[in-house]
Each structure stands twice: as C-alpha cells, then as structure tokens.
Amino acid sequence: MRTLTILAAAAAVCIAHAGSMAPALAADPLAQVKERETLMKKLGGGMKAVGGFVKNEGPTAADVQAAAAAITEVSTVDPRTVFPEGTAIGVGDSEAKPELWQNWTTAEGYWNDLKPAAEQLTAAAGSGDRAQVARAMQAVGKVCQTCHEDFRLKK
Amino acid sequence: MRAAAPAAARATVRAAVRATLAGAVIAVAGAMALPAAGQDPPAADPSSDDPVARGAYVFAAAGCLGCHTDVKGGGTLLAGGRALETPFGTFHSPNITPHPQHGIGAWSEADFVRAFRDGRRPDGDALFPAFPYGSYTGMTERDLLDLRAYLFSLPAADTPNRPHDLDPPFGWRFLLPVWQWLYLERGPLADDPSQPPEWNRGRYLVDVLGHCGECHTPRSRLGGLDRDAHMAGNRAGPEGEAVPNISPNPERGIGAWSIGDIELFLEIGMMPDGDFAGGSMGEVITNSTSKLTAEDRRAIAVYLKSLPPQP
C-alpha cells in the first residue's frame, strides 16, 4: 500500500515535469506567484529607470538601454510560464484575477504585445532622444496598464 | 356607449396629432442631422468655439463613460447597465443617451443643470448620490451646458434602465432629501482668490469634475463624504477595492511623489516604482486623466500636493 502511494506520487511528479516544457519551472503555486512577482518587479524596475530618464531625474541613456534589455528579456518568457493555472487571487500575494484565465486569448495577446513594444524602446534608447524614449515608454506602459486594468485586482 | 364614442373619436384625433407631430419632429431632426452625416464627432478640445467639442472634454474630465457604459458586458455606449457594487447595495447605471424615453432626450437644459446642481430628476424626485452630484454640483453653468450639447450629439440607445438593488434603508428614495440636506453643498464652486489659477483649476478638476474624493475619501455610515479626511483613502471602496490615501502623507499617501510623478501617473498609469495601476484606477486613467491636457494634469498634481496630509 505504502509503496503504491510513493510510486503514484513519483509518477505524478514525473507527469508534472513532462507537462511543463519551460525550464526551471516551480510546480509549487506559491513559488510560481513569487516568480511572477520577481518578473513583474523586473519590468517595473526597468520602467522606473526609463521614467527617470524621461523626467530628467538622473538615469542616463545607458540606463535606458539596460532597462530596455531587461524588459525585452522578460517579454520573451512564455505567458503560460508567467501565469500558470492555479495562481489566481488567494494563492500567496497573487493579485491576478480569475478573469485572466477565463479570457486567456486576450491575456496572452497582451503579453505578446510586450515584445514589439520593448523592441521599440530598445531602438529609442539607442537614439538617446528623450522625446522618442518617452513615446516608446508610453507604448510599453500601455501594455502594462491595459493588462492590469483588466486582470489585476487593485492598485 | 354613447359617451364612449366621442371619447374614442377624441383619442383617435389625439393619436393622429401625436403621429403628425412625431413625424414632423423626425423630419426636422433628420434635416438637422444631415450635414453631420458621415462626419466623426469633433475631438475633445477645451478651448474650442464648438460647445460639442468643449463638452467632449468635460465628458472625459468628469469620467462619465466608465459608469454609464457596460463595457465588460459589451453594452452600447452610454446606455447604462453597469453594475456598481457598493457597501450600500448594487447600483445599475442609467441610460444617458439622448433617447426620449429610455435616456435623457426629453431633459431640457434646466432639467439637466438641476440634476447636477441639486441632485433632482426632471419630475423633482431626488437622485441617488451614486451619481456623484455632491461633487458635480460645483460645475460651472457653461461646462454643464457644453456637456449636455456633447451628450445630445451622440446616438440614442433604446436600452431600458434597470432598477437599483439596494439594502434598506439606502434604497428608500424618500429619505434622500435628508441626505442632501446633510451632505450636499450646492455649487457652483467659487474660485479661492488667495490661490493661483493653476491651483483653482486643479481643485475644480479633482473635487468637482474628476470627483476623486467619491472613492478616495472615506464615507460616514450614512454614505456622506467625511470632508475632514479629504483624500485619506477608503478601505471599503466600490467594487470591493481598497482605495489608497492620495494626500501628501510621505509614507501612506503620495507625499514622496514629485509633481512629475503625478503627471506621468495620470498620463500613462505608471507609479514612481515603475509599477502600473490596474482595476478601477486603470479605467480612470484610460477614460479620463490620459485624455486631459498636460496643463490640466499638472494642475491636478499641484492641487493634490497642496492638501493637508492625512494619516
């Protein structure tokens, strides 16, 4: 009996791993929420630097380039890895509304909008032109804001 | 029977006159609408000579769209039907298109102004303050008439209104005059001559048009705004959201935000830490503050920074 249970558990773990193609994926929903938070903070940190440059509060064109690279890196992560099923409000500090999974095509579309916007920001960062960076930042910000408006609980 | 015959004849005549008048009205309306056919409504412009364009700007600044359109349910523009969950029950916003029966098409200019200034319907009954007339009462006559001109330029929708679903005693309309006596400070709001024009404009945008305090200021148990706690936040906001303190308290409010931080937030929704607003504030940014002029966003920031910090 006991052996069977252990075998079943081991099999379940194997299936869980086989099902997820993305590397370094935590199967624990609490850890998944934390990982998402880390990714989002990375996006936010990038945007903060870009905003500082646009507002002329310190960050340099080089900082904007680094920020654009960080945002691009996050944008290439598979949305199914960022928002695995079972990580809605109620799990840890999750602020993701259940509507995100109910409207997955829309949510996935928002996430996929991030990459071209980030590329635009990278191009603008290369130019070092404040107005161009401001416009590109607005395009990235639009993606953040639209998705948060629909699928994030508050703030 | 004999008495009924003339009555029936009179009714027939009345019906015929009504039909003729209605036909005439449609013909006149059609003739008036013709030149505009195929044209887009004018863009929102606060300094335009066209009342409709100015009204479009007032419409954005006053944030009418979000409550009066059931966006998530795919509802028609301004046809109402959005459910607004509050601690007092659920309000269903009404149709504010110019439809003569289901909308506000039959409202005269005086009716329209009275709804905003005094919280009263054309029939004299009090309106529920979910329609934030406690803030809108401060609107200028010109902004109100411009707003009406804009709303009346939009297509009419024949969507009927849905009754509110409120908990007693909040659903008892006859109690509303008491509420108004307690909480309604009738406008228009006069400028404070001791303050610069930018501050006065900011106060008008925040406290009157934007009706920010309706969510960001806590309410008494009777649902009136606690004016001593202006912008102190509200743990029990609409849609079950906790609404943050936006007074200049450095820890709990936005005291650490620069004027530029506030301007950027109102324009694209980004907070100083790079995070982006979602939920109801995201809607406000999309529908309202992102559509304001840069000068108006700055005026809002200047006014907010001038308020007393709240704990």
Side-chain angles (χ1 to χ4, degrees), chain A residues 2 4-5 10 15 17 28 35 37 49 65 74-75 100 113-114 117 120 124-125 128 136 142 144 147 155:
Chain A
R2 193 152 166 226
L4 259 183
T5 314
I15 290 165
H17 271 272
D28 169 24
E35 277 176 25
E37 215 171 285
Q65 277 173 317
V74 175
S75 76
L100 189 147
D113 287 342
L114 205 49
Q120 204 184 321
K142 190 75 212 155
C144 306
C147 195
K155 271 196 167 179

Side-chain angles (χ1 to χ4, degrees), chain B residues 27 50 54 56 74 113 152 189 203 207 237 311:
Chain B
D50 180 0
R54 291 199 307 266
V113 171
F152 275 63
L189 180 70
R203 182 175 63 150
D207 290 342

Side-chain angles (χ1 to χ4, degrees), chain A residues 55 145 148-149 152-153 155, chain B residues 241 261 275-276 278 282 286:
Chain A
K55 286 181 281 181
Q145 197 256 322
H148 281 195
E149 181 177 335
R152 189 192 192 177
L153 179 63
K155 271 196 167 179
Chain B
E241 291 177 335
D261 288 339
D275 194 359
F276 276 76
T286 304

Side-chain angles (χ1 to χ4, degrees), chain B residues 44-104:
Chain B
D45 178 2
S47 50
S48 170
D49 291 332
D50 180 0
V52 175
R54 291 199 307 266
Y57 190 80
V58 174
F59 175 82
C64 315
L65 180 80
C67 282
H68 284 286
T69 308
D70 180 16
V71 175
K72 279 178 192 152
T76 312
L77 181 73
L78 300 182
R82 176 178 181 170
L84 189 68
E85 284 169 33
T86 74
F88 313 104
T90 301
F91 291 93
H92 298 283
S93 64
N95 181 334
I96 57 163
T97 71
H99 193 280
Q101 281 93 42
H102 301 301
I104 58 165

Side-chain angles (χ1 to χ4, degrees), chain B residues 126-147:
Chain B
L127 287 157
F128 285 106
F131 171 55
Y133 55 80
S135 299
Y136 292 155
T137 185
M139 285 173 74
T140 63
E141 183 95 359
R142 178 171 132 139
D143 276 357
L144 283 169
L145 295 180
D146 288 349
L147 177 59

Side-chain angles (χ1 to χ4, degrees), chain A residues 86-113:
Chain A
T87 59
I89 299 157
V91 181
D93 294 334
S94 176
E95 291 175 346
K97 291 185 186 173
E99 282 90 337
L100 189 147
W101 290 273
Q102 289 156 15
N103 302 282
W104 179 252
T105 319
T106 308
E108 191 181 29
Y110 289 156
W111 185 264
N112 291 335
D113 287 342

